[in-house]
Amino acid sequence: PATSLRDDLVLNKRGTSLADPRALAEADRTLEMMLNDWTRDTQRGVSKEARAKIVADHDMSSVNDVLAAETRKAVKNLVSGNIVRALLIQVQYVSTEMHKAMADIDAVVAANQATIQLLSLFPGFLLLAAGFRLFRTLIIALVSESVQSDHNVY
């Protein structure tokens, strides 16, 4: 724990993390491409600026609306509708959100890392202090006049 604490506080070295920044960027880029194509294909009257805002905000409302409407006749729309495409976009959205959540967990763990490492050192310090007191008491008892020989005890 002491080495980890030194690495974290002094050398600013971090341990392993759950999130992969490249995977998050790739998932985000893929979702944005999918939403851009979806909006262009399903909402023809939307301007480029509005479409860019939908993509940047990861607005899934139009995907959810189409998916809700198409599940009424799921078998028919599975072949001829947008149900599969909408489901794939939702899966990509969940993947992106999962990567973001892992990055948030990493941030929380990093923020609490020093506290956790200090707490892990506490039992060792307690044992060291108890050992020192025991050693000190033993030395004082051996050196002091309170220790009597066996002949005086009987």
Side-chain angles (χ1 to χ4, degrees), residues 71-108:
T71 54
R72 291 185 194 114
K73 296 180 181 179
V75 175
K76 176 186 169 213
N77 290 329
L78 190 62
V79 175
S80 64
N82 284 324
I83 195 166
V84 174
R85 187 175 179 195
L87 286 173
L88 289 172
I89 293 171
Q90 279 195 330
V91 167
Q92 186 62 36
Y93 178 76
V94 169
S95 172
T96 303
E97 292 301 311
M98 180 194 63
H99 285 292
K100 288 178 184 177
M102 287 191 307
D104 291 343
I105 290 170
D106 281 343
V108 169

Side-chain angles (χ1 to χ4, degrees), residues 1-143:
T3 305
S4 298
L5 186 62
R6 178 200 51 147
D7 288 348
D8 187 32
L9 295 177
V10 178
L11 303 177
N12 202 22
K13 289 183 183 176
R14 299 283 182 211
T16 59
S17 64
L18 293 173
D20 180 8
R22 290 178 295 165
L24 173 58
E26 182 63 27
D28 197 46
R29 186 182 66 78
T30 302
L31 177 63
E32 288 177 357
M33 287 181 358
M34 291 171 95
L35 281 173
N36 187 45
D37 292 343
W38 173 269
T39 307
R40 186 186 63 236
D41 295 344
T42 60
Q43 298 174 349
R44 301 208 189 277
V46 174
S47 67
K48 286 185 178 184
E49 294 81 19
R51 187 169 61 222
K53 181 167 176 24
I54 290 170
V55 170
D57 293 344
H58 293 180
D59 184 4
M60 295 288 292
S61 59
S62 67
V63 176
N64 293 333
D65 292 343
V66 169
L67 188 59
E70 292 208 2
T71 54
R72 291 185 194 114
K73 296 180 181 179
V75 175
K76 176 186 169 213
N77 290 329
L78 190 62
V79 175
S80 64
N82 284 324
I83 195 166
V84 174
R85 187 175 179 195
L87 286 173
L88 289 172
I89 293 171
Q90 279 195 330
V91 167
Q92 186 62 36
Y93 178 76
V94 169
S95 172
T96 303
E97 292 301 311
M98 180 194 63
H99 285 292
K100 288 178 184 177
M102 287 191 307
D104 291 343
I105 290 170
D106 281 343
V108 169
V109 169
N112 291 314
Q113 191 70 26
T115 305
I116 293 167
Q117 290 167 346
L118 283 172
L119 286 175
S120 68
L121 289 173
F122 189 68
F125 285 134
L126 283 179
L127 285 174
L128 189 64
F132 178 73
R133 278 190 86 162
L134 181 65
F135 180 72
R136 193 182 102 211
T137 304
L138 183 63
I139 294 298
I140 290 173
L142 288 174
V143 172

